[in-house]
């Protein structure tokens, strides 16, 4: 019998599929829909200390080959997601999920948010988003290796619960080496590769204009456009990180084949953003069926038989 079971951070999931943070995860109602879908798990919208409206609309557009967004961290605030998470943890302890946490103001807010979670009853996984590309005037934290190290030193000085980080895409071998060297100094449970490719620009052919309002049209690119970059980041980080740090693969998963390729590169869980936005939670039924068919065609009975085993030509 073929199983799609995934093991991740000491837990077993029916399958490796999740939403990517930002898609279908703003409210308790949306999170319930994910919990009741065929996804193996789910993650909440990145929370800031206070609730936020986000950037002006239009701020998300689907494109033929993916999406562009400059949402600007709209969310209901950390207290909302923390209360929701603690309730879920109590009522459905057998359905593990991830809480995503970000910062709008920078370093101190990241620390304060993690302190609030440390002081709460929530004991589950946290994904610390170091890679939002859409806050006007603020850089993506994880492109600054020193600041990232400083932030993690500060958080690990008090935080004792399991957490991982969401990374932006890197495009240079030296940058893979550098971020891995930073992350390997800490007892991180996972890294998530990749966030959207920041600050792309899409031009509408009919009107010669940009398609989203914030930042003059610049926004994070997701979907089919980003798969080769996502696969490279999953693979490069898997090759460099301590074996105890697991990988979530995110970027360009439209089909079972895309999911299979992320697993070949070493991902343990798989997040779907743009395609979930386009297709709704039923995407998880399709992806499960397509991935299962690939395993059966290739004669595998479990993901462990091929995870991380990408072949090279040397
Ligand atoms: O809210 C957003 O604009 C956003 C975030 Br926090 C993120 O991490 N990645 C993204 O593409 N958009």
């Amino acid at each position: 019998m073929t199983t799609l079971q995934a093991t991740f951070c000491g837990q077993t999931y029916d399958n490796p599929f999740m939403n990517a943070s930002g898609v279908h995860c703003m409210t308790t109602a949306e999170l319930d829909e994910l919990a009741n879908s065929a996804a193996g798990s789910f993650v909440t919208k990145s929370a800031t200390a206070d609730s936020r409206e986000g950037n002006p609309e239009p701020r998300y557009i689907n494109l033929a080959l993916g999406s562009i967004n400059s949402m600007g961290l709209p969310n209901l605030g950390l207290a909302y997601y923390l209360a929701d998470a603690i309730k879920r943890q109590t009522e459905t302890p057998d359905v593990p999920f991830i809480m995503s946490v970000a910062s709008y103001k920078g370093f101190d807010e990241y620390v304060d948010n993690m302190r609030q979670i440390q002081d709460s009853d929530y004991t589950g996984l946290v994904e610390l988003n170091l890679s939002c590309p859409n806050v006007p005037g603020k850089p993506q934290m994880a492109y600054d290796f020193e600041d990232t190290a400083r932030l993690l030193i500060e958080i690990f000085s008090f935080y004792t619960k399991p957490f991982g980080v969401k990374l932006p895409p890197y495009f240079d071998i030296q940058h893979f080496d550098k971020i891995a060297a930073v992350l390997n100094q800490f007892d991180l449970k996972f890294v998530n590769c990749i966030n959207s490719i920041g600050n792309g620009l899409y031009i509408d052919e009919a009107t010669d204009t940009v398609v989203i309002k914030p930042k003059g049209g610049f926004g994070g690119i997701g979907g089919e456009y980003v798969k080769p970059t996502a696969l490279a980041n999953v693979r490069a980080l898997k090759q460099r990180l301590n074996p105890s740090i697991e990988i979530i693969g995110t970027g360009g998963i439209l089909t079972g084949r895309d999911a299979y390729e992320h697993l070949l590169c070493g991902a343990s869980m798989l997040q779907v953003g743009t395609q979930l936005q386009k297709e709704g939670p039923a995407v998880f039924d399709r992806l499960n069926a397509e991935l299962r068919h690939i395993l059966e065609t290739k004669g595998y009975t479990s993901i462990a038989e091929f995870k991380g085993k990408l072949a090279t030509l040397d």
Side-chain angles (χ1 to χ4, degrees), residues 21-22 45-46 55 69-74 102 129 131-135 166 195-197 220-221:
S21 181
K45 171 66 189 173
S46 291
N55 291 339
N69 90 83
S70 183
M71 301 298 290
L73 268 165
N129 184 352
S131 46
C132 176
N134 299 328
V135 181
K166 175 96 173 256
N195 209 315
S196 56
I197 297 184
I221 305 294

